[in-house]
Amino acid sequence: MKFRFYAVLHNMKLDSTKTKGKRINLDDYRARITNGSREFEKILQNPETNERIGFHSANEFLADNTTYVYIDGELENIISFEEIDTIGLGFSFSLLREIQYLTHYLWTVKDNNIYVRDGFLIVYENNFRDVGTYKASVSAINSTADNLRDVISTFSDEELDRAVSTMEEKLFDLGSEENNNNKRELIESKYPTPEVFYESEGSNRYIRAFFFTIAARSQAILSLKIVSYINALECLFSTSRNKITHNVAERAASLVKNTVIERDELYKKIKTAYNVRSRIVHGDPLNNNEDELAEMSKVLDNLLRNILLEHKNFFKEDTEKN
């Protein structure tokens, strides 16, 4: 039985028109990213599907310049709608998590506020005349590092290719490539799993740092973004309980900066961010203004993108799991 899955990429704009869509690889799925309504309008020709999706949800796909992903595929060994009912909802969440995973990798190219919320699975026969429909939803709404939500992030073909290419490297997958049971955090099903934190599942400091960085993107409060960014830096650079702030700030600055002046400047910025994090987690009020926190958050966001991408081999080759 064939299927098609749709999900809007909110706050995303493509720099050129793609009526049918640009082909992207999402693991084993044939997917396209498009800013034209034609592919979505196909399923709305079926009154039953149109009614199930609903007016407001459909309009999100049909609005001008909406960018969305659609995935085409076939469910092998599924021959009836009764059978698809047993897996339809779980499969919908799996596909939506896959697209959400793409939004994480868009961050590796540049800071943005792109997110997914709803995904619609259409299982069909006879060219969409006989259909079954399922809906999955996730709640994380991203903002930029300086906490802008109502902006549109524009991506070129070259930037999309970079994001997909990095995703195909599976930099942040749990477990080794030899492990056939390898599962990717944040994709599995309706609920995220805690596997990202367990050594037995292949967790390491690099993966945990990425997890906290992604968590920062979905925080709606700047100070909480900074908490998650600092957690990410600790995953990468903290090796003992002594002098954690100094060690993390010094090691991060030494890794990415070439001159003493540059290293000293970044060291001070990280320590200042640490003070914000310390006050928040210990229940103390802040004496910083929002502009200061926004600049601090942008520094940490850019720093982590640099470390996780430009210095990936340094951490990926590190076998220490603690």
Side-chain angles (χ1 to χ4, degrees):
M1 188 168 288
K2 295 181 179 180
F3 72 84
R4 177 171 279 193
F5 186 82
Y6 298 89
V8 171
L9 293 168
H10 295 277
N11 296 330
M12 183 174 187
K13 181 180 178 181
L14 304 179
D15 72 347
S16 60
T17 301
K18 295 174 175 58
T19 302
K20 186 174 182 180
K22 174 181 172 59
R23 176 71 181 271
I24 58 174
N25 294 320
L26 291 181
D27 208 8
D28 296 326
Y29 301 113
R30 295 185 295 115
R32 290 184 181 273
I33 182 169
T34 181
N35 52 4
S37 61
R38 186 180 72 179
E39 294 303 321
F40 188 75
E41 288 172 344
K42 289 180 181 179
I43 65 166
L44 297 182
Q45 295 173 8
N46 182 316
E48 184 178 1
T49 306
N50 198 338
E51 181 180 356
R52 291 180 184 179
I53 290 177
F55 175 82
H56 296 291
S57 294
N59 273 354
E60 289 187 344
F61 290 88
L62 301 176
D64 291 340
N65 297 318
T66 293
T67 300
Y68 62 93
V69 173
Y70 66 96
I71 301 173
D72 283 312
E74 187 165 356
L75 292 165
E76 298 180 0
N77 303 319
I78 299 292
I79 61 174
S80 70
F81 289 109
E82 288 76 13
E83 288 178 309
I84 190 61
D85 272 342
T86 64
I87 65 167
L89 183 60
F91 186 50
S92 299
F93 274 100
S94 177
L95 294 172
L96 185 59
R97 295 288 186 187
E98 190 71 42
I99 297 173
Q100 186 181 52
Y101 199 58
L102 170 64
T103 69
H104 299 340
Y105 274 93
L106 292 173
W107 171 87
T108 67
V109 175
K110 62 185 179 183
D111 185 24
N112 65 77
N113 61 333
I114 299 166
Y115 69 95
V116 293
R117 185 180 62 230
D118 299 327
F120 296 91
L121 175 65
I122 315 298
V123 183
Y124 65 93
E125 293 178 332
N126 303 320
N127 196 26
F128 295 108
R129 285 193 291 272
D130 299 314
V131 299
T133 59
Y134 305 87
K135 178 184 177 181
S137 298
V138 291
S139 59
I141 299 179
N142 296 328
S143 57
T144 59
D146 51 357
N147 215 28
L148 298 179
R149 302 179 185 87
D150 299 325
V151 298
I152 303 298
S153 301
T154 302
F155 273 72
S156 66
D157 282 358
E158 185 272 335
E159 289 171 327
L160 273 175
D161 289 340
R162 282 165 53 195
V164 172
S165 176
T166 305
M167 183 171 64
E168 288 175 345
E169 293 183 50
K170 299 183 178 181
L171 291 181
F172 310 106
D173 280 8
L174 289 168
S176 66
E177 293 182 0
E178 292 78 17
N179 182 3
N180 292 327
N181 294 321
N182 177 33
K183 295 179 181 178
R184 203 179 291 161
E185 173 67 13
L186 298 179
I187 292 182
E188 278 193 310
S189 60
K190 186 174 182 179
Y191 302 102
T193 73
E195 293 175 351
V196 68
F197 296 109
Y198 290 100
E199 182 178 348
S200 62
E201 299 295 337
S203 176
N204 57 51
R205 60 177 68 244
Y206 186 75
I207 293 171
R208 294 191 294 274
F210 183 65
F211 176 89
F212 280 115
T213 301
I214 294 306
R217 298 185 64 227
S218 63
Q219 289 288 355
I221 299 173
L222 278 169
S223 55
L224 293 181
K225 282 184 181 289
I226 291 168
V227 169
S228 290
Y229 284 134
I230 291 296
N231 287 350
L233 288 176
E234 283 197 356
C235 288
L236 294 169
F237 296 107
S238 177
T239 56
S240 71
R241 297 296 180 185
N242 298 319
K243 298 182 178 179
I244 294 177
T245 302
H246 166 76
N247 287 337
V248 170
E250 182 180 56
R251 291 167 183 172
S254 297
L255 182 65
V256 302
K257 296 299 182 181
N258 295 321
T259 69
V260 173
I261 293 176
E262 290 175 332
R263 288 195 292 268
D264 185 58
E265 181 181 1
L266 181 56
Y267 173 86
K268 291 176 180 177
K269 289 180 178 179
I270 295 173
K271 289 200 69 174
T272 301
Y274 248 107
N275 181 60
V276 170
R277 188 261 206 143
S278 179
R279 296 186 70 87
I280 288 294
V281 299
H282 291 102
D284 297 323
L286 297 177
N287 52 16
N288 310 83
N289 61 48
E290 286 291 289
D291 289 340
E292 291 172 335
L293 294 176
E295 184 58 33
M296 199 180 300
S297 182
K298 288 168 61 177
V299 168
L300 296 174
D301 185 82
N302 287 327
L303 173 62
L304 282 157
R305 186 178 297 101
N306 178 298
I307 292 171
L308 292 172
L309 272 294
E310 301 301 323
H311 301 278
K312 60 185 178 183
N313 291 334
F314 179 83
F315 293 100
K316 294 290 282 184
E317 293 170 3
D318 181 9
T319 58
E320 182 181 4
K321 303 296 184 180
N322 297 323

